[in-house]
Amino acid sequence: MSTNASFTPPPDARAYRLRTARGEFAVVDSPVADGAEPKGVVLLLPGFTGSKEDFTLLHEPLAARGYRTVAVDGRGQYESDGPQDDESVYAQAELARDVLAQTAALGEPVHLLGHSLGGQIARAAVLLDSSPFVSLTLMSSGPAQISVSQQQRVKLLREALDTMTMAEVWEVMQTMGPPEEVGGPTRGPGDQERLRQRWLGTTPAQLRATGCQLCTEPDRVTELAAVPLPFHVVSGAYDDTWPVPLLDEMAVRLGAHRTVVMGAEHSPNTDRPLPTARALADFWDGVPGRPDAAG
């Protein structure tokens, strides 16, 4: 989650419910900027306790580079519907199939980007079927389970959700000030009441199921490296969820392009959106098979 989420989309972006074979999903769809050469479509998957608004500050700079960007709330996240108590529908394989359905509904191959938890869901989707994707970008998303310190905090959150309402948990989090990965208080442009509404809109079952995934995810990097896609590993210069050296090593194992965004932490998409957008577009511009790609 980024507590710097912006809830005001660009003027030309469209918020709607994307109809797919697996139900409807809330999206913000930002077109290519006027006068820019269309280069492709990007599907953006948010992280744990996050939402499509975590990518708001990327839409305009990527549109100027020729990319249509579609940010989505996953099943049970914020404005996308999902069962309140049935955790089975939030199994990673089910969320991965949702991503494949979203891509199919967009009607063309996409550059897939997942932030944090979204990166592990993106990886699972690619491992199910890589054919709809042009590339895969893992942003602040590591090879396996999250760090021990973050596992402890997610465990506390899961225990709180077993005995408290979502509103009660939110109030406790404001007092304790946990890290952004589990929904801490705003420290930037994010509107506090909108952040609260986002928290209340996310289902407890989704949080329990995906929190468990973050704490138990196996290392699937070798399996992913066998997939014939270009990979990009992006992170801030500091990350407590997956240490930066671990992300460096993962990039080597994947043969991936590697970007470290200076001055950013776990959410370079909101901490430093302009250099992050520039690095993303530079990578996508050079993806083999694009008409204007180098080489």
Side-chain angles (χ1 to χ4, degrees):
M1 172 185 181
S2 169
T3 54
N4 291 339
S6 173
F7 290 84
T8 304
D12 56 352
R14 187 164 64 100
Y16 64 94
R17 298 182 71 81
L18 178 68
R19 294 183 178 181
T20 81
R22 290 177 61 86
E24 295 185 353
F25 297 88
V27 301
V28 171
D29 189 336
S30 183
V32 174
D34 289 343
E37 173 199 355
K39 295 178 181 177
V41 180
V42 183
L43 181 61
L44 303 163
L45 310 182
F48 185 57
T49 76
S51 72
K52 59 192 179 302
E53 285 71 24
D54 293 339
F55 301 109
T56 297
L57 301 179
L58 295 182
H59 288 304
E60 288 189 291
L62 291 176
R65 291 287 297 268
Y67 291 97
R68 173 191 171 194
T69 49
V70 182
V72 60
D73 288 338
R75 183 178 303 276
Q77 278 185 319
Y78 190 28
E79 295 180 323
S80 288
D81 297 333
Q84 293 289 313
D85 300 311
D86 181 4
E87 295 185 31
S88 66
V89 300
Y90 303 110
Q92 187 185 77
E94 295 302 314
L95 300 179
R97 291 185 182 95
D98 287 346
V99 174
L100 293 172
Q102 293 155 10
T103 304
L106 292 175
E108 55 186 301
V110 304
H111 295 282
L112 183 61
L113 181 152
H115 173 242
S116 195
L117 169 73
Q120 298 198 329
I121 295 169
R123 178 172 74 177
V126 165
L127 289 173
L128 280 176
D129 182 4
S130 66
S131 63
F133 305 112
V134 183
S135 70
L136 172 62
T137 297
L138 303 174
M139 180 181 287
S140 304
S141 185
Q145 71 270 18
I146 55 178
S147 66
V148 172
S149 64
Q150 292 297 335
Q151 289 184 45
Q152 292 170 344
R153 298 183 186 210
V154 170
K155 181 175 182 289
L156 288 174
L157 174 61
R158 284 170 51 85
E159 290 173 351
L161 290 170
D162 287 339
T163 59
M164 304 168 69
T165 67
M166 290 289 285
E168 289 169 340
V169 173
W170 175 261
E171 293 305 319
V172 170
M173 289 194 301
Q174 305 318 293
T175 302
M176 296 179 62
E180 64 179 13
E181 288 78 14
V182 293
T186 184
R187 64 182 187 195
D191 178 276
Q192 184 75 353
E193 180 55 29
R194 295 295 295 273
L195 289 169
R196 179 178 180 274
Q197 290 303 317
R198 173 170 73 174
W199 170 260
L200 295 177
T202 300
T203 69
Q206 193 270 356
L207 290 169
R208 291 191 192 95
T210 57
C212 181
Q213 291 167 31
L214 285 170
C215 295
T216 59
E217 178 73 3
D219 188 323
R220 304 184 72 186
V221 175
T222 300
E223 188 180 355
L224 183 63
V227 175
L229 281 180
F231 301 117
H232 189 187
V233 175
V234 181
S235 74
Y238 173 79
D239 197 321
D240 183 51
T241 307
W242 287 278
V244 170
L246 189 64
L247 299 174
D248 293 337
E249 179 188 16
M250 182 179 74
V252 171
R253 293 172 63 194
L254 286 173
H257 185 69
R258 178 74 171 107
T259 296
V260 177
V261 182
M262 302 309 296
E265 297 188 12
H266 187 63
S267 298
N269 42 312
T270 58
D271 293 343
R272 297 291 307 282
L274 293 181
T276 299
R278 182 167 59 248
L280 293 172
D282 287 348
F283 168 69
W284 293 326
D285 283 354
V287 167
R290 279 192 37 77
D292 59 343

